[in-house]
Amino acid sequence: MRAVKFAGAAVAAVIIVIALLLVVGIPSGFLTSTIASRVENATGYRLSIDGTTKVSLWPTLNITLNDLTLQDPRDRSGITRLTVDSVQADMTLSSVWSGRPKISELVISHPVLYQPLLRERLPNANPSPTPAVSLDMDGASIDRIRITDGEVAFSRVRDRVEGRISAINAEAVTDRDRKVDFAGTARAGERAIKFDIKAGMPAPPIERQSIPVDFAIDIPDVLTSQLTGHAETRLNGGVVMINGLTGVLGDGAFNGWASVDIASKPLVKLDLDFQRLTLPLSKSPEGTAGQPWSNAPIDVSGLNYVDAQVRISANEANIGEARLAPLALDAKLAGGVLKAGTSNLGAYGGQISGEVILDATSGAPSFAMHSDLVGVRALPLLKGLADFDRLDGKLQAKLALRSAGTSQRALMANMQGTAFTNFQDGAIRGINVAQMIRSLTAGTLSGWQDSQELSTDLSQLSASFRIDKGQAVTTDLNLIGPLVRVTGAGTIDLGTKMMGFRVEPKLVMTTEGQGRTSDPVGFGIPVMIEGLWSQPRIYPDMAGMLDNPDAAYAKLREMGKGLFGPDGAGLGNILGSLGLGGAASNGGNAAGNANPQTQQPGQNDLLGGPLGAAIGNLIQQGLSGGAGSGTGRSSRGLPATPATPAPQASPAPPAHDDPPAAQQDSQPMNDVLRQLFSR
């Protein structure tokens, strides 16, 4: 309202000055006080003319005033004022002779409106009524007003805060039916704005009269398409009331109402309901998933200088990459603290409820949030929030977080709180845990197995995190899949996008899957996952293996039992499928003992004895061989296989001078294992 009054007062001041010029002629020093007195009586504002005044009679009557200042005499600070470099008016001599001056064009060059920013609403903010301002004061009229290079400067000296709406170039055209078309361009910071506002002006005074307004606004950096609409506006003291608000944004219609109290600190009330709401957000450049968080400053200090009560609802909302349906958001901004909450937010097939509190009252803004997510699809959510696209599934989560900082990096590095996450019926993309175990016998994996065809199905993946200074620590990571289990613990550094986990993968070596009665078989060596979460290194924890080499080797032998089943029951089928049926058809003869007549029942347990040793030997050789060629791998392998064979349930008589049976019988097993464990 203050800006509207200043604009009206400025126009009225120009008309009064021009009228006096027509009567008195070229002004002299004594006339300046007379002009200022007439302007103050008509508008309530004080006018100062510090520059020269020029009058030209050819080709039309032209009057130019330079260095004007318009100020509210009740504002002792002098902050609120309007300065104008020059005002130029063109009119016809015939209209002057008729006594009703008709200004064909009024050009206002570089007007600057200085408006202070207030942290608190002032008591008795509604100003006393000022005389009504009319565009045809004293019988004069204006057809066209042109503003060039205008500015609105907002500032608060105490907070060292300043903002501007600059490069205002606009034109207002009035027709005989008092319809005004006000169109132009401006810049708010780095954002370009284009507007076109049409209003039907009632006969003066316009206070409390309904003014129909049609508008079209383009802000390419904020809105995906043009915002158009219609409203009935009314001025009531320092409040602009906007009723019957309807319009279209993109392909979504909306309706609602609004009011703006600008008597002191602005108070905005807004209630809008959209059919479809689409708002773009700035995207990260391609390929920046592994890049650090932005260190660009985030300035939310403007929240201190406006109060608001906002309700936004939509049947469908697309905000950046987020897809929300339905959306119901209530927000309140008061004293620099913004509280926004939702209890019925549909997101990616699930629901989100919670509240976010943003406190902008200090130099380093802080935020706190609590949220519950139920049945939300994880992949698009994590990709949009953290550039992480390796997990998919239905997500259930409880979050309680808080942080402070002036950039993305600072906010993530200062994060504190707790988080519980549970993914169900999904997959880990880009990695196959079973194949990873096989690959780790020969070398280190550098990054995820980047292939759209690779994934690990999961029935459930759960973990709870305690977060302190950006370090999210978990000790209960648990993944359950149809053919794999993974347990472990580790830390995610939210500030640097780094991760460090020590996990123990286990394979389910039976078609019974999760309904099995036996335990899954472990790899025998803990696996480390370290580095950027977009491209970590995955390698066996050789140091952990050497802490307890006997147990690690025993697990590798146990892995052989899982592969072929107890007592080698599944060996015949596997060998047959690989074209080694002859070896399997002889039972234990070809694969276990050179003297079948003397073989005892306990000797059929080939995996518990020679075959288990062969499996361990083979994997040991793979680890030892891969250690030399794998990147970042330790050169230490598994301990050598003991020379003494494993004890048998009932030992057979020793063969005379024949080679040891284990060496002869393990060759088919080696063929099988090479095919199972080779890359």
Side-chain angles (χ1 to χ4, degrees), residues 173-360:
V173 179
T174 306
D175 62 16
R176 295 181 179 179
D177 298 329
R178 305 183 64 86
K179 292 182 178 179
V180 179
D181 186 355
F182 183 54
T185 60
R187 295 194 69 84
E190 299 297 324
R191 295 181 174 89
I193 303 173
K194 184 178 180 181
F195 57 88
D196 187 354
I197 302 173
K198 296 180 174 63
M201 301 299 296
I206 62 175
E207 186 84 3
R208 299 180 184 276
Q209 293 198 61
S210 181
I211 303 174
V213 175
D214 294 298
F215 59 87
I217 300 174
D218 278 322
I219 311 178
D221 293 338
V222 178
L223 305 176
T224 56
S225 57
Q226 187 180 69
L227 172 66
T228 61
H230 172 82
E232 297 289 332
T233 63
R234 181 176 298 181
L235 303 179
N236 185 8
V239 180
V240 181
M241 304 177 66
I242 305 173
N243 298 314
L245 178 59
T246 60
V248 176
L249 176 60
D251 56 354
F254 65 88
N255 61 80
W257 62 272
S259 69
V260 184
D261 185 348
I262 51 178
S264 62
K265 180 182 181 180
L267 172 60
V268 179
K269 296 181 179 180
L270 180 66
D271 190 333
L272 292 179
D273 180 34
F274 290 83
Q275 291 181 356
R276 181 182 293 105
L277 175 62
T278 301
L279 294 176
L281 296 179
S282 57
K283 293 184 178 180
S284 301
E286 292 295 330
T288 60
Q291 298 300 316
W293 297 107
S294 171
N295 209 28
I298 299 175
D299 185 10
V300 293
S301 59
L303 298 178
N304 289 289
Y305 311 112
V306 62
D307 292 340
Q309 299 173 16
V310 177
R311 177 175 175 80
I312 302 292
S313 57
N315 292 333
E316 178 183 346
N318 301 323
I319 303 176
E321 295 185 0
R323 302 294 180 263
L324 310 174
L327 167 68
L329 177 66
D330 289 284
K332 182 178 181 180
L333 174 61
V337 179
L338 172 64
K339 296 182 179 180
T342 181
S343 57
N344 185 29
L345 176 61
Y348 303 111
Q351 286 191 333
I352 299 177
S353 61
E355 183 181 49
V356 176
I357 301 175
L358 175 60
D359 188 345

Side-chain angles (χ1 to χ4, degrees), residues 400-417:
L401 306 172
R402 64 184 184 278
S403 186
T406 57
S407 66
Q408 283 185 356
R409 188 179 303 177
L411 286 172
M412 300 304 289
N414 294 328
M415 191 78 68
Q416 296 188 21

Side-chain angles (χ1 to χ4, degrees), residues 462-463 474-479 486-490 501-505:
S462 62
T474 181
T475 58
D476 58 1
L477 176 68
N478 186 29
L479 182 150
V486 178
T487 57
F501 278 84
R502 188 174 189 267
V503 300
E504 184 176 350

